[in-house]
Amino acid sequence: MTHQFGYDEPKPTKRRGRRVALIIVSVVAVLVVGALVAAMMYINSLSSAYEDNAQVFEESFPEEEGRPVKAEDDESINILLLGSDANGGSGETEDLPDVPQGGRSDTMMFVHVPSDRDGVQVMSIPRDLWVDVPGQGQHKINAALSLGGLPLTISTIESLFNARIDHVAAVDMLGFTGLVDALGGVTVNSSYGEAFTTGEGYTFQPGEQTMNSEEALSFVRHRKSFPDGDLQRVRNQQAFIRAVIDETLTPANLSNPGRVQDMVETFSPHLIVDDTLDSSTVASLAWDMRGAANNIDMFTVPTAGNGYSDDGQWIFYQDEAAMAEISSAIQDNTLDEYAASR
């Protein structure tokens, strides 16, 4: 069976559980927050399984010509994290070419690991941001996946920030929400200033509340109650992912084989990485970032208001000054300072 992000799902093997366990720890611990020592030991013990069985994209990166080039002394790492909600997203459609990796990404996050490895910046990109898609003209940024698969998506984001993408991973939001049951629920801090009720009938209050998987999925999908629509939805996704990370990376969970197995069974169908995110890269990042667990910055790319495109699509306009600041901050390894100013 072909995954919506463009790879053929492998047949189950006896090492599948070990491989998936590694990938879960890698994505949660490395792509977003860095690793605890226990996670590092686990990654090392399973590195051969990662090499043999990791699920990878059929095609990830664009042609090298024209891509941004890093300075020789720049040791930062930029990771594009895509989230899909094919089973309950906005339902929005557009007449676009049918390509092998076609589809929409409901969530885009630019993950920046600075050269000093002292923290991680996770920058959400609104899916309705109006941008230039190379060779295709003006579109919402999430249209790039339908127009040209991952290579065009990467080209679009690299052009937007003038920053090179080093790795890419895709996760179905159902994979994250499935972890909620395996974790026995998560405590999410809702930033919205008043109570809101979703279409599924769940009511969420401001502040912290414990959610099961159905509540969490409804929480991250909802946007109709919010004046700024998808921007608050992005904040809710950030709050949810932070809650999952905090709960997953507790020593009690990482050292519990039964809990890890539950995570494996629920998360395994929902994750794919590029072929350069190999075991040595994962292990190196995990070790370098072992002290960064309490230094995660999450923010959303600023916009310059909203309106309608010439063809009638509801969009967010770019804040060009903010884009220039972000681009400079990524190149100067000062994105943490920019995030702190938000």
Side-chain angles (χ1 to χ4, degrees):
M1 184 175 71
T2 300
H3 192 280
Q4 63 178 323
F5 284 110
Y7 74 97
D8 294 325
E9 290 188 356
K11 296 180 180 179
T13 69
K14 64 182 180 181
R15 302 175 71 183
R16 177 176 176 83
R18 296 175 63 210
R19 168 180 54 75
V20 174
L22 169 68
I23 294 175
I24 290 172
V25 175
S26 301
V27 167
V28 176
V30 175
L31 298 187
V32 182
V33 63
L36 300 177
V37 174
M40 175 59 198
M41 294 171 61
Y42 199 35
I43 288 170
N44 281 339
S45 70
L46 297 177
S47 61
S48 62
Y50 186 97
E51 294 286 5
D52 292 344
N53 298 301
Q55 301 174 33
V56 299
F57 294 111
E58 292 175 352
E59 184 180 23
S60 302
F61 298 101
E63 296 294 328
E64 188 61 34
E65 184 178 357
R67 296 186 66 195
V69 178
K70 289 183 175 179
E72 290 185 4
D73 60 349
D74 186 354
E75 297 182 355
S76 66
I77 296 175
N78 298 321
I79 303 165
L80 176 60
L81 184 61
L82 300 176
S84 171
D85 193 8
N87 293 297
S90 66
E92 181 180 281
T93 59
E94 181 179 318
D95 292 331
L96 293 169
D98 183 16
V99 296
Q101 287 180 283
R104 293 293 183 117
S105 175
D106 293 281
T107 303
M108 287 186 177
M109 292 183 175
F110 184 105
V111 181
H112 179 72
V113 183
S115 296
D116 61 15
R117 305 296 192 259
D118 280 347
V120 183
Q121 289 80 55
V122 182
M123 179 171 63
S124 294
I125 305 172
R127 63 182 183 178
D128 295 329
L129 189 67
W130 196 242
V131 302
D132 181 61
V133 178
Q136 300 290 339
Q138 297 285 306
H139 289 274
K140 293 182 180 182
I141 195 167
N142 74 337
L145 191 64
S146 293
L147 289 164
L150 279 171
L152 186 58
T153 300
I154 291 173
S155 291
T156 300
I157 293 175
E158 287 185 336
S159 298
L160 186 64
F161 298 113
N162 191 29
R164 187 180 183 88
I165 301 294
D166 300 295
H167 300 293
V168 59
V171 183
D172 192 317
M173 285 302 293
L174 288 176
F176 274 113
T177 53
L179 286 176
V180 175
D181 284 334
L183 293 168
V186 292
T187 300
V188 181
N189 188 1
S190 175
S191 64
Y192 195 58
E194 58 187 72
F196 64 92
T197 301
T198 67
E200 292 77 23
Y202 298 111
T203 298
F204 299 102
Q205 304 292 335
E208 292 186 349
Q209 55 226 279
T210 300
M211 301 180 188
N212 61 29
S213 60
E214 292 182 358
E215 291 168 333
L217 195 56
S218 183
F219 179 78
V220 299
R221 286 173 173 169
H222 187 71
R223 66 175 181 169
K224 291 183 179 179
S225 297
F226 313 129
D228 60 359
D230 206 50
L231 295 183
Q232 182 61 44
R233 180 175 181 260
V234 167
R235 296 183 198 105
N236 290 349
Q237 291 171 349
Q238 292 172 347
F240 167 69
I241 291 173
R242 185 182 289 275
V244 171
I245 292 168
D246 289 345
E247 185 65 27
T248 300
L249 289 182
T250 61
N253 280 329
L254 289 177
S255 63
N256 183 334
R259 182 61 58 86
V260 171
Q261 182 61 37
D262 286 343
M263 292 164 60
V264 168
E265 292 175 353
T266 57
F267 201 82
S268 59
H270 304 288
L271 174 67
I272 179 173
V273 298
D274 73 82
D275 61 3
T276 68
L277 197 58
D278 56 23
S279 62
S280 61
T281 302
V282 169
S284 176
L285 271 175
W287 179 254
D288 289 346
M289 297 168 62
R290 63 193 181 279
N294 295 316
N295 192 15
I296 316 162
D297 301 307
M298 285 189 175
F299 66 100
T300 303
V301 171
T303 64
N306 56 68
Y308 289 91
S309 63
D310 290 342
D311 59 357
Q313 298 182 69
W314 191 88
I315 60 174
F316 286 118
Y317 299 110
Q318 289 186 43
D319 183 331
E320 294 184 2
M323 291 299 179
E325 287 185 62
I326 291 170
S327 177
S328 295
I330 293 172
Q331 294 175 43
D332 296 341
N333 265 296
T334 58
L335 194 59
D336 59 335
E337 296 177 14
Y338 179 85
S341 72
R342 300 304 305 159

